Amino acid sequence: MRPLQDLFRPADYPDLLVGLAAPDDAAVWRLDEHRALVVTTDFFTPVVDDAYDYGAIAAANALSDLYAMGARPILALNVAAVPPDLPVELIGEILRGGAEKVREAGAVLAGGHTVQDKEPKVGLVAVGLADPDQLMTKAGARPGDLLILTKPLGTGVTTTALKRGAVDPQHLAQAVQWMSRLNAEASNLAVLHGVHGATDITGYGLLGHASEMAEASGVSLRFHLRAVPLLAGAETYVRGAFIAGGSADNRHFFAPRVRFEESIDEYARMLLFDAQTSGGLLLCLPPDAAASFLEQARAEAVAAWVVGGVEPGEGIDVDLADAEARPADSRGCVYLAG
């Protein structure tokens, strides 16, 4: 987009609250004093073999950008590329999975566009509404905030193990559950409790998206390795070298911004760069608000882990501090020993 930056100058579009300046999870257009339109799109190739699950995960992933901005989904359009020889029944199951996830989000699927391609690619254009005064952005983190993560890491190594025929079916089932899970409840709680900053954890991995947040907010983020939740089997798969190409790219690009405690091994470091599909939200809340957020999250069985904090400075630090909070709804997650 950089060669086009002079065509659309932010000053010429005062109602475009997010989109042309600092990058974020979705574009935001102010409709009036109390309403803003939040718009995003995302699609990708299959991460699982089951057609219905693929469609549901792709939809949840696209809707996640709305939740990361504090928006309520209202409308979605299909975006799909399908091979001409793919059975119609499979295409129908993919689209059904996505449609039912949109309905679960309280939105309506109102059409879309399909082209032929050699490999399936499915996702959504997703539209939501938010209060302009309650927008969650990457630029809101403040020193003293706690960092809260709402889904475990490890979908990248798990789905890579699937592609290589080496995944444990129970591990895969757990990964599918989390990838299919909407970030709606966590987003609603974050808005309710006055979140300072937020993003969702997807293709750039935890440390990649955290680096974007640190840069946008002008702060440093510190993560406690032993507090970061993992899918069961994730550590086994990373030690088996089931590393997606995107995860390796994440490490190459973002590693210069990250300072690891020396005793943290290479496998643990790689998991923090693991490219996620439909991951959780990374939220920044002041301590008092974080305490009330976590109390309500436990009461409503919304998964949430305190994984670190926000400090003055720049970049990312990762240390070996112990886990702080275990959520009520952890679904068999595990923690790194370091």
Side-chain angles (χ1 to χ4, degrees):
M1 293 288 288
R2 287 177 182 167
L4 309 180
Q5 62 186 1
D6 291 335
L7 294 177
F8 303 100
R9 295 177 298 177
D12 295 336
Y13 303 92
D15 287 323
L16 186 62
L17 304 181
V18 179
L20 290 178
D24 221 303
D25 292 306
V28 181
W29 184 272
R30 179 171 47 208
L31 297 175
D32 55 37
E33 184 180 355
H34 302 292
R35 297 179 304 159
L37 202 63
V38 184
V39 184
T40 186
T41 186
D42 205 329
F43 60 96
F44 50 73
T45 56
V47 292
V48 294
D49 293 334
D50 184 87
Y52 180 90
D53 288 341
Y54 169 39
I57 292 166
N61 182 76
L63 292 166
S64 182
D65 284 338
L66 299 183
Y67 294 129
M69 304 294 292
R72 174 179 61 86
I74 59 172
L75 175 70
L77 302 174
N78 276 326
V79 178
V82 295
D85 58 348
L86 191 67
V88 173
E89 294 78 13
L90 286 182
I91 298 173
E93 278 299 283
I94 294 170
L95 297 180
R96 185 172 71 88
E100 293 191 354
K101 191 58 60 174
V102 170
R103 184 174 62 180
E104 179 186 337
V108 59
L109 187 64
H113 185 67
T114 305
V115 298
Q116 290 187 0
D117 202 350
K118 294 180 179 179
E119 187 173 17
K121 300 174 183 68
V122 170
L124 299 175
V125 174
V127 182
L129 286 174
D131 185 330
D133 293 330
Q134 295 181 323
L135 283 175
M136 305 188 331
T137 70
K138 294 178 181 178
R142 303 174 191 172
D145 286 348
L146 296 181
L147 293 171
I148 294 176
L149 183 65
T150 66
K151 287 186 184 182
L153 305 183
T155 59
V157 291
T158 303
T159 56
T160 300
L162 168 65
K163 291 176 182 177
R164 299 181 188 174
V167 75
D168 182 306
Q170 291 185 335
H171 295 162
L172 178 62
Q174 185 194 41
V176 169
Q177 282 184 337
W178 282 105
M179 289 188 290
S180 303
R181 190 177 192 179
L182 295 173
N183 282 319
E185 294 171 324
S187 177
N188 291 340
L189 286 182
V191 171
L192 179 64
H193 291 277
V195 68
H196 281 167
T199 189
D200 63 334
I201 308 304
T202 51
Y204 290 161
L206 176 63
L207 295 185
H209 289 288
S211 294
E212 292 183 326
M213 177 179 281
E215 182 176 0
S217 299
V219 297
S220 174
L221 304 187
R222 177 176 293 275
F223 289 95
H224 307 317
L225 178 66
R226 291 173 179 154
V228 177
L230 298 176
L231 295 174
E235 192 167 4
T236 298
Y237 298 133
V238 76
R239 290 180 180 276
F242 295 107
I243 309 299
S247 302
D249 291 342
N250 290 343
R251 181 164 186 173
H252 175 76
F253 184 79
F254 291 108
R257 310 181 196 184
V258 182
R259 298 171 291 272
F260 287 98
E261 191 169 311
E262 287 187 7
S263 58
I264 295 174
D265 65 33
E266 292 300 312
Y267 302 112
R269 298 183 188 203
M270 194 68 239
L271 279 171
L272 299 185
F273 288 111
D274 189 44
Q276 302 301 285
T277 298
S278 191
L281 301 181
L282 180 64
L283 305 170
C284 305
L285 290 105
D288 288 346
S292 60
F293 173 98
L294 291 168
E295 182 179 359
Q296 188 169 354
R298 283 191 289 269
E300 299 181 8
V302 177
W305 292 260
V306 176
V307 294
V310 182
E311 301 175 349
E314 60 182 20
I316 306 292
D317 289 281
V318 183
D319 63 33
L320 277 172
D322 288 332
E324 297 184 33
R326 297 288 191 266
D329 182 14
S330 60
R331 297 194 185 182
C333 297
V334 299
Y335 301 82
L336 280 165

